[in-house]
Amino acid sequence: MVRDRHLPRARTATSPRARRGDWGTHAALILAALLISAPLLLALIKATQPSSAVLSPSLLPGGAFLSNLERVWVDAHLGRSMLNSLIVAVTVTTGKTILALLAALAFVYFRFPLKGAAFALVLVSLMLPTEVLIVALFDLVSRDLNWADSFAAIIVPFLASATGTFLFRQHFLNIPASLADAARIDGCGPLRYLTRILIPMSWNTIGALAVIQFVYAWDQYLWPLVIMQRDDHQVVQAGLRKLIEVGGQTDWGAVMAGAVITMLPPLIVFTALQEQFSRGFALSEDK
Amino acid sequence: MLSVRQKRDAGGREDRAVFRGAALPWLFLLPSLLILAVFIYLPTLRTLRLAGYRANLILGTEQWVGLGNITDLLGSPTYRQVALQTLVFTLLSVTGGLLLSLGLAWLASRPVRGSRAYRLLLIYPYALSPAIAGTLWLFLFNPEIGVVNQILGELAGVRPRWLDTPLLAFALVTVAAIWKGLAYNIVFYLASIRNLPTDVMEAAQIDGATPAQVFWRVAFPLLSPVTFFLVFTNIVAALFDSFALTDLLTRGGPYVGHAGITTFLVYQLYQDGFVNFRTGAAAAQGALMLALVAFVTFMQFRLGERRVHYGA
């Protein structure tokens, strides 16, 4: 039954016509998967080639991956910027999840004055992307808060999550009300209800959101580029720019090795939570 | 207590407001609201204020010009060209990306052997960042040393100047943006295709509808809510996520007319704000973009309510 969930119910009836179309489907899907992965496969191959082969048309993998990686890891401080990105992404993901859970708890399980106004404040924030506010945000964070070059500058402004609040709110609304009633009658407070009942029932949604938030935090580029001048605090995405910039003589084998390593953390998070990621979305669809 | 519980909210669900306390909900909301107030709402107000000044944050000078910055922008051939380019890029990347991802999601949801593996192969690039995309494509399409021209040169004897030829550079950025967005769109289309009502589709098949007819006449209208959602998120992605891509791949160039052909609105804002230090002009661009995003959101709700099929 669990496996069946992944089959589209619409096409399970296999007519002879559908079966004849299978070959075409396989061919099209293989071609699409290859085309989509092509830039990555080429990067992977080039990352393993010695400098002499990187700039040649050769597509044979070499044995130079570790030496390429070592150059970018040591000379370009990739290790340091990877660690910075990891600190930022983990903190932002954890913080966003906790704050969104608390906000959704308030919106779903309480009645209070100005609830509509508070909800509107969260809703409207979706229409105000950081990129558009960047000049004023830079002024505020660097001058008024004096946070330039600090981790706080690339963590704190991103801790509130409208998307997370909505998804959790939606998910909580699908949990029977009688459960909360029973818990309250048994003397369970809202925080205990959250940690003992709601969170254990929300792992798919939490997993789906964790993927989105980790990838979003890991992908940060424009804001770290302007607010972070100290190289030892820079995140890895903005660090890529420095790698390519170095005086026109780019060491592409090293850059590709660096790019391949930079992709790993979000890929690991995505692979680990893939099931929850897909299921969290299917469930959150309000039917 | 019972009457309270039986009240229904706008969505027609039972009311779940079971816990008491006036201060407690605000305490739970406080961290989120505080961060939104300081890092979203305050900068919004300051952006609107700064847009009215000819200001330079580095020099600390300010001069009130009212709507001067906005009228300057609207009259500037550079800004008009950038806005037009952004429009064309957004239209091409959103329609191209959505059609392609819908087709691929439809194929990947057919009950063939190994469909789970196909689905994973199609959605894993979601984990790649725009900056990585820019770096990879820069290396692949570098006219002299890029793999693509190395291979094209060997096989066909042509080495197109991908990054210096305006039309090629524009096409390259557009295709790279579509490529980057595919996985995200496919995730949502796959989830929605899985939720399509079986009976309606089977009824259509039994009535003799061809697969193409089932797709366009039955499935596609039922997928319109998710398509609408994706149109909006894709427009936002085209406007904002394209920054890292263009910054690494083309640096906004090559130059044509009054501006670089791959310089889009956010790139221009960044250039004016943090390279040319024209703070007022950058803030005015921020204000215009706020209006743009608000308009897109408004249209999403208006059109979404009227045309979208919510029958699923």
Side-chain angles (χ1 to χ4, degrees):
Chain A
M1 242 358 253
V2 175
R3 282 184 151 262
D4 276 355
R5 290 180 55 101
H6 298 279
L7 292 174
R9 275 165 282 152
R11 289 299 198 96
T12 39
T14 39
S15 62
R17 175 188 265 152
R19 196 148 315 138
R20 247 180 290 133
D22 279 3
W23 271 109
T25 308
H26 280 294
L29 284 172
I30 289 170
L31 186 70
L34 263 178
L35 275 178
I36 286 176
S37 298
L40 260 102
L41 292 174
L42 288 170
L44 210 58
I45 292 169
K46 290 294 169 185
T48 64
Q49 292 180 341
S51 307
S52 55
V54 170
L55 302 184
S56 77
S58 160
L59 293 180
L60 295 173
F65 181 71
L66 287 180
S67 70
N68 281 339
L69 183 60
E70 194 189 343
R71 283 204 303 284
V72 67
W73 197 269
V74 177
D75 301 349
H77 310 290
L78 185 75
R80 177 71 234 180
S81 54
M82 286 269 288
L83 183 66
N84 294 340
S85 282
L86 215 54
I87 293 169
V88 171
V90 169
T91 317
V92 168
T93 306
T94 316
K96 268 189 166 176
T97 306
I98 294 172
L99 294 201
L101 278 169
L102 287 176
L105 181 72
F107 282 132
V108 174
Y109 293 100
F110 285 90
R111 185 176 300 111
F112 54 94
L114 295 176
K115 183 166 156 178
F119 193 66
L121 272 183
V122 179
L123 182 81
V124 172
S125 75
L126 282 176
M127 284 198 286
L128 307 166
T130 310
E131 288 90 344
V132 169
L133 315 171
I134 196 155
V135 175
L137 192 65
F138 179 83
D139 185 34
L140 178 88
V141 169
S142 67
R143 218 174 45 175
D144 298 330
L145 296 172
N146 207 9
W147 279 0
D149 289 333
S150 77
F151 280 127
I154 46 177
I155 293 174
V156 181
F158 303 99
L159 287 178
S161 169
T163 315
T165 308
F166 293 135
L167 274 182
F168 283 134
R169 176 179 171 271
Q170 191 86 339
H171 179 63
F172 292 172
L173 284 172
N174 286 331
I175 294 174
S178 49
L179 211 59
D181 271 338
R184 192 192 57 85
I185 289 160
D186 287 348
C188 180
L191 268 184
R192 244 172 84 104
Y193 181 63
L194 177 71
T195 52
R196 296 287 171 84
I197 312 269
L198 287 180
I199 290 180
M201 291 182 77
S202 309
W203 286 120
N204 280 338
T205 314
I206 292 174
L209 267 175
V211 173
I212 297 177
Q213 289 164 347
F214 188 91
V215 168
Y216 174 82
W218 185 266
D219 287 0
Q220 289 268 14
Y221 180 82
L222 175 56
W223 177 241
L225 194 66
V226 300
I227 198 72
M228 212 53 112
Q229 297 304 320
R230 273 175 61 177
D231 281 350
D232 61 334
H233 279 184
Q234 190 52 284
V235 296
V236 74
Q237 306 292 335
L240 282 173
R241 197 181 207 251
K242 272 244 156 59
L243 281 182
I244 298 168
E245 257 177 354
V246 191
Q249 278 296 317
T250 306
D251 180 352
W252 281 106
V255 171
M256 287 302 116
V260 167
I261 292 298
T262 306
M263 293 172 202
L264 282 182
L267 263 182
I268 291 168
V269 170
F270 179 80
T271 314
L273 297 175
Q274 199 261 122
E275 201 71 358
Q276 279 86 348
F277 184 66
S278 305
R279 245 186 262 154
F281 281 120
L283 288 179
S284 70
E285 294 232 325
D286 194 17
K287 288 188 80 175
Chain B
M1 207 47 214
L2 215 87
S3 65
V4 170
R5 238 187 300 139
Q6 280 175 340
K7 268 177 106 173
R8 280 161 191 272
D9 65 11
R13 299 185 188 87
E14 287 172 78
D15 194 342
R16 276 151 182 75
V18 292
F19 292 113
R20 295 298 173 95
L24 216 48
W26 286 108
L27 204 63
F28 294 149
L29 282 175
L30 190 67
S32 292
L33 291 183
L34 199 65
I35 284 166
L36 290 181
V38 175
F39 297 104
I40 298 285
Y41 286 102
L42 187 58
T44 304
L45 294 176
R46 286 199 180 185
T47 299
L48 296 179
R49 197 192 75 89
L50 268 175
Y53 285 88
R54 191 142 295 156
N56 185 317
L57 289 180
I58 305 295
L59 300 174
T61 55
E62 272 190 358
Q63 185 203 345
W64 172 251
V65 292
L67 289 176
N69 285 325
I70 304 270
T71 51
D72 280 359
L73 281 176
L74 296 179
S76 139
T78 305
Y79 194 71
R80 286 207 292 231
Q81 186 188 330
V82 169
L84 184 67
Q85 286 165 188
T86 311
L87 182 72
V88 175
F89 167 74
T90 306
L91 277 176
L92 289 178
S93 64
V94 172
T95 43
L98 286 182
L99 283 175
L100 204 55
S101 46
L102 176 59
L104 288 175
W106 187 254
L107 276 179
S109 59
R110 295 191 58 167
V112 293
R113 282 175 69 91
S115 53
R116 281 192 73 175
Y118 287 129
R119 286 197 281 269
L120 194 60
L121 278 174
L122 292 179
I123 64 174
Y124 83 93
Y126 172 73
L128 307 183
S129 72
I132 296 270
T135 310
L136 294 189
W137 284 64
L138 175 63
F139 177 54
L140 293 184
F141 287 90
N142 185 301
E144 285 92 24
I145 56 150
V147 184
V148 171
N149 272 8
Q150 297 266 0
I151 295 170
L152 274 182
E154 295 271 311
L155 294 180
V158 289
R159 293 168 182 272
R161 309 279 315 166
W162 297 100
L163 306 172
D164 320 331
T165 314
L167 215 54
L168 285 182
F170 190 85
L172 193 65
V173 168
T174 309
V175 173
I178 289 175
W179 174 79
K180 177 65 202 84
L182 274 184
Y184 178 86
N185 295 329
I186 290 175
V187 166
F188 281 93
Y189 271 132
L190 279 174
S192 306
I193 290 172
R194 191 186 302 165
N195 284 334
L196 285 177
T198 326
D199 43 351
V200 182
M201 317 269 295
E202 273 168 4
Q205 266 177 334
I206 290 164
D207 287 350
T210 65
Q213 280 173 329
V214 173
F215 178 78
W216 286 112
R217 301 282 181 79
V218 184
F220 188 70
L222 289 172
L223 290 173
S224 55
V226 68
T227 303
F228 252 90
F229 165 78
L230 287 175
V231 165
F232 176 69
T233 50
N234 278 246
I235 289 175
V236 172
L239 288 176
F240 302 116
D241 291 353
S242 61
F243 178 85
L245 194 66
T246 49
D247 188 41
L248 281 160
L249 189 51
T250 59
R251 288 287 151 89
Y255 211 82
V256 169
H258 300 279
I261 194 152
T262 59
T263 297
F264 304 132
L265 288 171
V266 178
Y267 201 80
Q268 184 69 34
L269 196 164
Y270 162 78
Q271 286 283 330
D272 279 332
F274 297 96
V275 179
N276 306 326
F277 298 112
R278 295 170 60 217
T279 305
Q285 290 173 39
L288 282 178
M289 285 197 82
L290 279 180
L292 179 67
V293 177
F295 175 73
V296 171
T297 314
F298 176 74
M299 290 310 283
Q300 151 115 0
F301 284 122
R302 274 296 294 273
L303 292 175
E305 256 167 41
R306 219 185 294 153
R307 300 246 179 92
V308 173
H309 189 288
Y310 283 114

